[in-house]
Amino acid sequence: MSNRLEIGQKTELLNEAFHYIDRYSQKVVVIKYGWSAMDDKEAQRSVLDDVVTLKKLGLRPVLVHGGGKEISEWSKKIGLTPTFKQGYRVTDEATMEVVEMVLNRVNKGLVNSIHELGGRAVGISGKDAGLLKVKKKYVAKENDPNGVGFDIGYVGEIVAVDSKIITDLLDKDYIPVICSVGFDENHHSFNINADDAACAVAMAMKSEKLAFLSDVPGIYKDPNDSSSLISELDCDKIDDILEHGQTIGGMITKLNNCKEVIKSGVERIHIMDANVPHSLLLEIFTDSGVGTMIRRS
Amino acid sequence: MSNRLEIGQKTELLNEAFHYIDRYSQKVVVIKYGWSAMDDKEAQRSVLDDVVTLKKLGLRPVLVHGGGKEISEWSKKIGLTPTFKQGYRVTDEATMEVVEMVLNRVNKGLVNSIHELGGRAVGISGKDAGLLKVKKKYVAKENDPNGVGFDIGYVGEIVAVDSKIITDLLDKDYIPVICSVGFDENHHSFNINADDAACAVAMAMKSEKLAFLSDVPGIYKDPNDSSSLISELDCDKIDDILEHGQTIGGMITKLNNCKEVIKSGVERIHIMDANVPHSLLLEIFTDSGVGTMIRRS
Amino acid sequence: MSNRLEIGQKTELLNEAFHYIDRYSQKVVVIKYGWSAMDDKEAQRSVLDDVVTLKKLGLRPVLVHGGGKEISEWSKKIGLTPTFKQGYRVTDEATMEVVEMVLNRVNKGLVNSIHELGGRAVGISGKDAGLLKVKKKYVAKENDPNGVGFDIGYVGEIVAVDSKIITDLLDKDYIPVICSVGFDENHHSFNINADDAACAVAMAMKSEKLAFLSDVPGIYKDPNDSSSLISELDCDKIDDILEHGQTIGGMITKLNNCKEVIKSGVERIHIMDANVPHSLLLEIFTDSGVGTMIRRS
Amino acid sequence: MSNRLEIGQKTELLNEAFHYIDRYSQKVVVIKYGWSAMDDKEAQRSVLDDVVTLKKLGLRPVLVHGGGKEISEWSKKIGLTPTFKQGYRVTDEATMEVVEMVLNRVNKGLVNSIHELGGRAVGISGKDAGLLKVKKKYVAKENDPNGVGFDIGYVGEIVAVDSKIITDLLDKDYIPVICSVGFDENHHSFNINADDAACAVAMAMKSEKLAFLSDVPGIYKDPNDSSSLISELDCDKIDDILEHGQTIGGMITKLNNCKEVIKSGVERIHIMDANVPHSLLLEIFTDSGVGTMIRRS
Amino acid sequence: MSNRLEIGQKTELLNEAFHYIDRYSQKVVVIKYGWSAMDDKEAQRSVLDDVVTLKKLGLRPVLVHGGGKEISEWSKKIGLTPTFKQGYRVTDEATMEVVEMVLNRVNKGLVNSIHELGGRAVGISGKDAGLLKVKKKYVAKENDPNGVGFDIGYVGEIVAVDSKIITDLLDKDYIPVICSVGFDENHHSFNINADDAACAVAMAMKSEKLAFLSDVPGIYKDPNDSSSLISELDCDKIDDILEHGQTIGGMITKLNNCKEVIKSGVERIHIMDANVPHSLLLEIFTDSGVGTMIRRS
Amino acid sequence: MSNRLEIGQKTELLNEAFHYIDRYSQKVVVIKYGWSAMDDKEAQRSVLDDVVTLKKLGLRPVLVHGGGKEISEWSKKIGLTPTFKQGYRVTDEATMEVVEMVLNRVNKGLVNSIHELGGRAVGISGKDAGLLKVKKKYVAKENDPNGVGFDIGYVGEIVAVDSKIITDLLDKDYIPVICSVGFDENHHSFNINADDAACAVAMAMKSEKLAFLSDVPGIYKDPNDSSSLISELDCDKIDDILEHGQTIGGMITKLNNCKEVIKSGVERIHIMDANVPHSLLLEIFTDSGVGTMIRRS
């Protein structure tokens, strides 16, 4: 009897999942994989395993990642003091060198792990095939919001995405793994915020989905009440949230980006906790999901 | 907490299913759908829904069916008395006419239901595009096993399968639905046992799987003990079963056919109960399944 | 000398025919094959032989057929009384069952005969791949022409044609043979007038030709004068004929349909006697023809 | 009544012709068009019209021609005296120049006429794209049959055929028209016997047919009895004919060539009178034909 | 040291050339090869060698040629007196016959030489595949500029170019070699000025370049000063030149044609001396060139 | 006059170069770009410019590079002491991390420069798409040549090349830039000698050419005599050289590798000085070249 019941639950879950597989067949899913979630080897393995599964099920995953803690560690090793201005790493010439070295090594590490899990990935940066072109970014000074802003060095704001290399790699059945380094009109290297890179790639590819995998479970009605996680959110309700609810720093920027991304044609954005095993599969292939899904209204 | 546990079960089930989807992508699955299981409208809907799901998941299902009870009913309506010889319907000219009319109508009914469930099917018989060529079948007399046997009229034994029409329909993304009528060298119509037709089609297509959906849950070690269902069975253990276990009539023929089918290149045969909702999905996409799977040793 | 003359006639005939072969290469020709003409086995063989020849010459024939006499016979066998209202068969649930059984059996018989003559055909109904969608048809009451009309049961009026299956079969080099059964929005089966089905298919395919093969030689200036057969008729002269000439029942409806069919893009409509051996070839490939050709003005 | 009869004859003729059209679809037919038959403008028009018809019916005609009388006329115009040795034109440097000029002009005239009749032809010589490579031919001296033979100047014997240009032109739907001029290893121009050129092209293309259109109606059992024309001839009966029957000069060589051509893979060779209007169509598309057909035994 | 210098010059030249190869890859270049330059066998070999090289480098050369001196010689041989009216050969029926014979023979000679140099060419005239359609040309009388003009016989003015055969030959990797003979609406042959033919072909093909190879090194500021050769000329400066500089007969017409050709979409026109070895390569693949290049302003 | 002479030299050089372009069209050329040659920014620019030119001319260049000096510098920055054993860098865990970071950064720098010069490159390591699989390498001890050898840490010997990613990038028209890092069966990263990597890639691709661009001009008969550079060398003369001539360390290994590379199917190997501007173009496209070419005997 309990067995009969279990069969009913199984078929319900399978039918749910199969529905989404059919729906997302051949669709591009851009996955931002954030750094603090990258330290836990087991969590990382679960995330990359899901990425390989997405590929096998006929979706077209694209992984975008940053570096984070490791950059600071290497900076210190060679005697540099990591400095931040409004969340952005102040990036002088020497720091930029470290950023690029660390990010590319992390990149090849992810590629290698995907290979180990049965996938075939190619790791590129925004400099390959002219993928991410930037201009220098200035950070607004609070007391002079209309001025030029602080010079934070080689930190870039994306001005053009040439996504041909991504399409080409997908066509040849690889999983593109992209680290957030770009180049400016003088072909100098620039550090890019990984969230910005993921959004820009999703918009350029007009991807079906953009998924943020970090150490945040999603958006809360009340950031202080862990039971107030929002499961689904219409895009045009974001302003409400910004006014009344969610006020944690990084999330404000992320929510504002989400509005723009969805406006440009991306169908759904997911925010989820990379530490929940297989959160990516659960979020994409079950009705209930595990994080917050923002959808076009 | 229970939620966390549930998530673990979900991901396990999904990963199991996703593994099989990847493995069976673009593979042909021939499904014999037996008649007594066809009476229950809800069971039928569940079976056809699974067929549509298989198609959407990238497999290539082919449905083969017979008629059964309805043929006898119509025979009686026009004053004929249904007669059987060793399980075969004795088929004179008038009965053959009824057989063909009923089978084709059932065929179009299945096509119609698949359409209703979101699939696109085309119903054919063994006469379309020369699919199933037969010769007259004689049934051995018990007291004269080497003689010509009983003449049971227009009952055919398949001698050639021209499967081009099936491949063509699959290439154009339709679900072929086949009723078990064939033609002989004089282009006369013949009644064919639906199990025979399904086996012949599976062998001609060198299909990945052949699934028998009827009112039998599978093969039992001890036919009298409903808890002795065999979940997986190596093909070379069939002779053991035939000697010591399963001895119910129809099943003996079926098991002998299975040996031949697997020898000809089909990878796996499944026997399952059409009345278990979504038994087809459970059998194909979960490790434990719900019926008996016979595999190449 | 007479031999020399004969050569001249031969070359003239051949050049005529060759001209039409070139002109109609790869063009779709929809052939309505009517039921009373279907009883004579030899006439049927001649018609199907011509269809196979059309295919070999590079045209793309599509056969549409009804049932007729046989439906009534089977209805009576099971105790139903065939009833007609203004030419339409009153079709209750039990009759519909008979209609569908008989039509599909006739369908597979034609397929089989084509196979015997060297062609490769696939028999479908309007339910396959969602080909013919209908709504319930009401027959106008004479004394209340604007009222709802008589309810004549499951008789359908075509509201949508999804001709993809026809194109797909033609692409794979089969001769589609279509019986006039459709489905409504509730996926119930409906009986369709075969002329209506042929017109709807010809219009949906934007076929080059539509040919009616029945037991009528064509249109007469004076229906009482067998020497007044019209060989060619401009479409815009049809109203003249309707007013002054041809007044036989079925022909009026047919002529009105012809106007609509030609308006929708079909180039030429032929009406001819299926009992004249090879009338289809003579009508299509000779200047003089044997029936009546209606052409776009 | 007589009308009814006529219809029977028509359909018989059409069915005969249609059978051959189906059979020869996309097949290559090499047609040697001989010079004395080329003077009569009306006969020429009939021949070229047939060539255009063959193309339209889906065959792939290739025309090979010589020059003949016109070459002698132009030779005389500039003061040369045409000389022949065993049927071959003795071709010195000055004569070769005339040969090439006249043949190419005749070639473009044929191309132009085909265009006028609705076909699209391209005129080439054996020098285009390296089509016909030759070596110098010597004519055996009667009193010294094993010696070097007479030097007859720039008369070539074909040693290699590079038929790519013919295939390319056929692929692009042109009718290739080829004049019988070739080149030797020093890239000097050579005169080639047009029958030899046609045979070489037919063999290189492994054509379905080779047709000789000249002023000879075919092969006679008794050359003196015009009623003894042989309609069909098995290839292995040729030696019989050579021994007992046909003994007219040019025909002996032609028959010997025919044996070789058929041995190399060509199915049928036709010999017919270009002056019979549309003899090409009658010979190819009717059972009785108008000339002699030699077929593989 | 001098060696080091030489290497610098080499790499500069190579880089120049390589730049142009990249730029002109798969581009069509129409080359008019003029008659007086055709007498010198060595110069001819150099020109054709360059044409073969262009082909191998990935460009798509098309050669257009006339006849000239040889036509007059042959005319005289058969007793005709060459007559010219304002540069055009007065072409009666007999002369036209000579023109066509000579041009086609020259054509096949060029084809043969290209073959000898390793290329694969096909020689066609404007009559092949309906390439060049003309109407009769009249030459204006000086004292009656608005009158009908002189009748100069079969001299044609191009009214339509059907360039499909050129594209087809290029697609199949041949070098088309075209002689300047056309046909009018009555399919009569006409003599065409080879410069006119080259311009018409270049315009119809929207070729990248049109190159005139004759015995003129280019355009001079001062025709009497051989050091005043203009290397590059903007198209809109042509009128200046016509007013103040270059006044030699043939060149005026050529310059006026050039304006029209460039207006129709051809990018660059080159005028150069065929007697400078490999002038075609030097002009196309070096910055300095050897003749005059006229470019779109 | 001198001008005329110069034109002759130009055309000779161009014809030489054009010959090679034709010959190497679509051929793969693997270029090993060595590190000491990488310091001079101008030399590097010249090398990469040549690589871009090769691509534009229709060849398919693949760049393989190492790191070198910069690795040692970074090692020292973080307190490591670079140690070498028989030319191999002893690579412990910490060093491996530095190697991978530096090589990938150099890699993206080359990609960026190619982009600046108008090419489109993608930078990968041997870990991408499973390109270079290795096993641990041991260095033979001099006093125990048959022993296990010195353990030099994460230095790899290539055991398998999966060149699909290279072919895929070439098919999509990118220039692959490969840094010499690989992975072993445990998916650990390994340092690979860049010459070894280049040889393995050339062999796996069966490339037309393998070019070593370093600071060595080529092979000398007498290493002490700079005028004894060998321009062309048959592969089977290498043993002679090894015995009597060239004895400088690295070159012995390189020459031994060359023998194996050529045996595996690579046609030609070039050794040249990256400091000679455009040495790659000169070596590939001129007869005389600037370095040493080793060819299959």
Side-chain angles (χ1 to χ4, degrees), chain D residues 10-249:
Chain D
K10 277 186 180 183
T11 57
E12 195 182 332
L13 177 59
L14 289 181
N15 273 317
E16 241 176 72
F18 293 168
H19 165 76
Y20 289 113
I21 289 175
D22 179 37
R23 175 165 167 181
Y24 296 141
S25 174
Q26 296 308 315
K27 295 283 166 62
V28 174
V29 179
V30 175
I31 298 146
K32 156 67 201 312
Y33 181 31
W35 76 270
S36 63
M38 288 164 76
D39 283 345
D40 179 342
K41 278 296 155 194
E42 201 164 326
Q44 181 176 303
R45 190 181 175 84
S46 158
V47 167
L48 298 181
D49 197 38
D50 284 3
V51 169
V52 171
T53 298
L54 291 186
K55 183 79 196 169
K56 287 184 178 166
L57 290 174
L59 289 78
R60 313 180 106 200
V62 176
L63 201 60
V64 179
H65 69 90
K69 211 155 60 181
E70 207 174 336
I71 294 174
S72 295
E73 285 166 8
W74 269 92
S75 296
K76 287 178 202 155
K77 270 196 198 173
I78 61 162
L80 301 169
T81 309
T83 323
F84 291 84
K85 208 84 184 177
Q86 292 179 24
Y88 288 97
R89 181 184 301 278
V90 178
T91 309
D92 58 10
E93 191 80 46
T95 303
M96 186 63 227
E97 221 167 298
V98 173
V99 165
E100 204 170 356
M101 292 200 307
V102 170
L103 280 181
N104 277 301
R105 186 172 152 270
V106 166
N107 182 268
K108 298 306 179 189
L110 293 171
V111 162
N112 204 23
S113 298
I114 288 174
H115 195 223
E116 206 174 344
L117 292 162
R120 289 167 55 95
V122 174
I124 56 175
S125 76
K127 288 161 74 174
D128 288 275
L131 176 58
L132 299 175
K133 190 167 185 184
V134 307
K135 65 174 187 191
K136 191 171 162 57
K137 187 186 189 79
Y138 290 88
V139 172
K141 294 183 189 173
E142 276 156 58
N143 48 3
D144 181 15
N146 298 321
V148 171
F150 287 114
D151 182 335
I152 49 174
Y154 295 108
V155 174
E157 193 180 322
I158 296 171
V159 292
V161 180
D162 181 351
S163 60
K164 183 175 180 296
I165 180 64
I166 300 178
T167 307
D168 285 344
L169 290 173
L170 290 173
D171 282 354
K172 293 286 189 181
D173 260 337
Y174 297 103
I175 300 169
V177 180
I178 304 168
C179 70
S180 53
V181 171
F183 64 98
D184 74 351
E185 59 183 347
N186 300 316
H187 285 270
H188 197 286
S189 299
F190 276 74
N191 189 9
I192 305 175
N193 175 278
D195 272 19
D196 289 357
C199 288
V201 166
M203 289 191 288
M205 298 292 294
K206 295 200 182 306
S207 74
E208 175 72 21
K209 285 179 182 300
L210 168 60
F212 290 101
L213 273 163
S214 62
D215 46 6
V216 179
I219 300 168
Y220 292 93
K221 265 194 199 129
D222 174 357
N224 299 319
D225 174 4
S226 76
S227 73
S228 71
L229 186 75
I230 302 170
S231 180
E232 300 196 8
L233 179 63
D234 275 3
C235 185
D236 58 11
K237 293 286 183 302
I238 287 181
D239 289 338
D240 267 22
I241 296 287
L242 288 175
E243 269 180 62
H244 307 104
Q246 187 65 261
T247 53
I248 297 166

Side-chain angles (χ1 to χ4, degrees), chain C residues 4 25 49 63 103-104 142-143 145 188 195 219 223 228 273:
Chain C
R4 189 44 62 112
S25 173
D49 197 39
L63 200 60
L103 280 181
N104 276 301
E142 275 156 59
N143 50 2
H188 197 288
D195 272 19
I219 301 167
S228 71
D273 189 347

Side-chain angles (χ1 to χ4, degrees), chain B residues 74 97 101 104-105 108 112 115-116 120-123 127-130 162 164-165 168 172 174 187, chain C residues 74 97 101 104-105 108 112 115-116 120-123 127-130 162 164-165 168 171-172 174 187:
Chain B
W74 270 92
E97 222 169 296
M101 292 200 308
N104 277 299
R105 185 171 154 271
K108 297 307 180 190
N112 205 22
H115 195 223
E116 206 173 343
R120 290 167 56 95
V122 174
K127 288 161 75 175
D128 289 276
D162 181 351
K164 184 177 179 295
I165 180 63
D168 285 344
K172 293 286 189 181
Y174 297 104
H187 285 271
Chain C
W74 270 93
E97 223 169 295
M101 291 200 310
N104 276 301
R105 185 171 153 269
K108 297 308 179 190
N112 205 21
H115 195 223
E116 207 174 342
R120 290 166 55 93
V122 174
K127 288 161 75 176
D128 289 276
D162 182 350
K164 185 177 178 295
I165 180 62
D168 285 343
D171 282 354
K172 293 286 188 181
Y174 298 103
H187 285 270

Side-chain angles (χ1 to χ4, degrees), chain B residues 32-289:
Chain B
K32 156 68 200 312
Y33 181 30
W35 75 271
S36 62
M38 289 164 75
D39 284 343
D40 179 342
K41 278 298 154 192
E42 200 164 326
Q44 181 175 305
R45 191 181 175 85
S46 158
V47 168
L48 298 181
D49 197 41
D50 285 2
V51 169
V52 170
T53 298
L54 291 186
K55 181 80 194 169
K56 287 185 178 166
L57 290 174
L59 289 78
R60 314 180 104 200
V62 175
L63 201 60
V64 179
H65 68 92
K69 212 155 59 178
E70 208 174 337
I71 294 174
S72 294
E73 286 165 9
W74 270 92
S75 295
K76 288 176 201 158
K77 269 194 201 174
I78 61 162
L80 300 170
T81 310
T83 323
F84 292 84
K85 207 83 184 179
Q86 290 178 26
Y88 287 98
R89 182 184 300 277
V90 178
T91 309
D92 58 10
E93 191 80 46
T95 303
M96 187 62 228
E97 222 169 296
V98 173
V99 164
E100 204 169 356
M101 292 200 308
V102 170
L103 281 181
N104 277 299
R105 185 171 154 271
V106 167
N107 182 267
K108 297 307 180 190
L110 294 172
V111 162
N112 205 22
S113 298
I114 288 173
H115 195 223
E116 206 173 343
L117 292 162
R120 290 167 56 95
V122 174
I124 56 176
S125 76
K127 288 161 75 175
D128 289 276
L131 175 58
L132 299 176
K133 189 169 186 182
V134 306
K135 64 176 186 191
K136 191 170 162 55
K137 185 186 189 78
Y138 291 88
V139 172
K141 295 182 189 172
E142 276 155 59
N143 48 4
D144 181 16
N146 298 320
V148 171
F150 288 112
D151 181 335
I152 48 174
Y154 295 109
V155 175
E157 193 181 322
I158 295 171
V159 294
V161 180
D162 181 351
S163 60
K164 184 177 179 295
I165 180 63
I166 300 178
T167 308
D168 285 344
L169 290 174
L170 291 173
D171 283 354
K172 293 286 189 181
D173 261 337
Y174 297 104
I175 300 169
V177 179
I178 304 169
C179 70
S180 52
V181 171
F183 64 98
D184 73 349
E185 59 183 348
N186 300 316
H187 285 271
H188 196 287
S189 298
F190 275 75
N191 188 7
I192 306 174
N193 175 278
D195 272 19
D196 289 358
C199 289
V201 166
M203 289 190 290
M205 297 294 293
K206 293 199 183 309
S207 74
E208 175 71 20
K209 284 179 182 301
L210 167 60
F212 290 101
L213 272 164
S214 61
D215 47 6
V216 179
I219 300 168
Y220 292 93
K221 266 196 197 125
D222 174 357
N224 300 317
D225 173 5
S226 76
S227 73
S228 71
L229 186 76
I230 302 170
S231 181
E232 300 196 8
L233 179 64
D234 275 4
C235 185
D236 57 12
K237 293 287 184 300
I238 287 180
D239 289 336
D240 267 21
I241 297 286
L242 289 174
E243 270 179 60
H244 307 104
Q246 188 64 261
T247 54
I248 298 167
M251 198 51 83
I252 295 175
T253 312
K254 194 166 273 178
L255 284 173
N256 277 316
N257 286 347
C258 286
K259 288 197 298 182
E260 191 191 349
V261 167
I262 281 188
K263 202 158 62 188
S264 85
V266 173
E267 287 299 319
R268 293 178 174 202
I269 299 174
H270 299 264
I271 299 170
M272 77 201 78
D273 188 347
N275 298 304
V276 176
H278 300 291
S279 51
L280 197 51
L281 292 191
L282 289 166
E283 181 67 20
I284 293 186
F285 295 117
T286 67
D287 287 344
S288 52

Side-chain angles (χ1 to χ4, degrees), chain C residues 45-65:
Chain C
R45 191 182 175 83
S46 157
V47 168
L48 298 181
D49 197 39
D50 285 3
V51 169
V52 171
T53 298
L54 291 186
K55 182 78 195 168
K56 287 186 179 166
L57 290 174
L59 289 78
R60 313 180 105 200
V62 176
L63 200 60
V64 179
H65 69 91

